Amino acid sequence: METTYYSETLVLSPENNKSLQNLCGHCDEHLHLIEKRLEVNIKQRGYTFSISGEYSAVKKACNALAELYITAEKDSALLLNEVHLQLQVAKNKPQSNDDINSTHQDTRMEIRIKRAVITARGESQMQYLKNIAKYDINFGVGPAGTGKTYLAVACAVQALETARVSRIVLVRPIVEAGEKLGFLPGDLAQKVHPYLQPLYDALYEMLGFDQVAHLMESGIIELVPLAYMRGRSLNDSFIILDEGQNTTMEQMKMFLTRLGFNSKAVITGDITQIDLSNRRDSGLIHAIEVLNNVSGISFTQFQPSDVVRHPLVQSVVEAYESYNQLNNKANK
């Protein structure tokens, strides 16, 4: 069947030379990325862009360019990874005949903190943020690279800076919580540091190294192994349990019952990466079954199409998912 190609002209406004240069990137690298990812051809003359290719791809490219131009007006330097994220949204979003200028409101939300503005894109990330704002216990479940932990930390930092909570508690299960952990050098904080590194990284980016160190010294930010949560009751806190798939059923119940007044809990995890010896022991899988219909608890399910890292990460996730589905069918 012969492919029918379509062409559309897009004129960007208001005219601003700096924003236009920001949009196109160095040596038009941003335009080349759009062409490659969406399989379109882009010809530019000033603020007029002629896009040709398959109809749906052209519409997505027009939407992406319009959205990125809005971003280029705000940011001093539009980064290549921001273009990638917007293309991820464009590829996965069903297109309609709506005005492309509505794309900006439909596909992104912002979390404003003192050092940065964290942008959530796509329906899953937006729903995740809405759920966190509305509910006191929230689950974010899905593959690596979908922003589950990063966005949760951003919400926690915003809640702390706006005085909605008085502390942040970041928790991870230590699968090797027995003798293996004991062979690591240093005190408790030094022993668990490697397991909590992803949470440290997000905090350093959003608050800065010195501020994180100060807040940890004063106890306003705590990074805690899950085993040390037993017996505590956390009031006025934003609590994040990362890698929830590696909790046991008993540990998950223990964690959820730590929630105190004026507190919010977010549990993140990927049920395809369980490190427990028996997959069926996972507290995250059990919680999804037990709590799915409990009022006041939200579940956000991320898909491989929501991956916001390098494009190959999405391909890797999808390949493993397809492989597992075929194996499951073969074993039935």
Side-chain angles (χ1 to χ4, degrees), residues 6 8 38 54-67 86-104 106-107 123:
Y6 171 79
E8 184 166 326
L38 297 180
E54 292 189 3
Y55 178 83
S56 62
V58 169
K59 287 296 184 182
K60 290 175 180 179
C62 288
N63 285 339
L65 283 167
E67 169 69 13
Q86 183 55 42
L87 291 176
Q88 196 83 344
V89 172
K91 288 187 71 173
N92 296 325
K93 182 178 174 62
Q95 297 298 304
S96 68
N97 293 323
D98 294 339
D99 179 42
I100 57 176
N101 291 327
S102 67
T103 304
H104 177 67
D106 293 340
T107 62
E123 293 182 6

Side-chain angles (χ1 to χ4, degrees), residues 12 44 231 257 284 318:
L12 297 175
Q44 178 215 352
T257 54
L284 181 59
E318 290 174 341

Side-chain angles (χ1 to χ4, degrees), residues 15 25 32 38 46 60 85 96 100-101 118 127 131 135 172 193 207 229 236 254 288 328:
E15 294 185 1
H32 295 323
L38 297 180
K60 290 175 180 179
L85 291 175
S96 68
I100 57 176
N101 291 327
I118 310 300
Q127 187 59 53
N131 287 342
Y135 299 101
R172 260 197 170 198
H193 187 281
L207 291 170
M229 290 289 288
D236 201 29
M254 179 270 290
I288 293 172
N328 290 336

Side-chain angles (χ1 to χ4, degrees), residues 74-75 104 108-112 117-120 129 158:
K74 295 181 178 180
D75 297 346
H104 177 67
R108 60 188 287 161
M109 289 178 63
E110 294 179 341
I111 305 171
R112 295 188 173 273
V117 177
I118 310 300
T119 302
L129 293 185
Q158 184 187 56

Side-chain angles (χ1 to χ4, degrees), residues 254-318:
M254 179 270 290
F255 172 81
L256 293 173
T257 54
R258 300 307 93 200
L259 191 70
F261 293 105
N262 192 40
S263 289
K264 192 178 292 286
V266 179
I267 301 93
T268 68
D270 177 3
I271 60 174
T272 69
Q273 297 195 42
I274 296 173
D275 297 322
L276 301 173
S277 56
N278 189 338
R279 174 184 172 85
R280 289 177 296 180
D281 291 336
S282 173
L284 181 59
I285 292 178
H286 185 250
I288 293 172
E289 296 173 355
V290 173
L291 304 174
N292 194 39
N293 295 318
V294 175
S295 177
I297 298 179
S298 80
F299 289 84
T300 304
Q301 179 64 57
F302 291 88
Q303 304 299 330
S305 59
D306 296 315
V307 172
V308 291
R309 292 180 185 167
H310 191 286
L312 280 177
V313 174
Q314 180 178 343
S315 299
V316 168
V317 170
E318 290 174 341

Side-chain angles (χ1 to χ4, degrees), residues 3-18:
T3 302
T4 301
Y5 284 92
Y6 171 79
S7 181
E8 184 166 326
T9 299
L10 171 69
V11 180
L12 297 175
S13 63
E15 294 185 1
N16 183 300
N17 287 335
K18 187 175 181 180

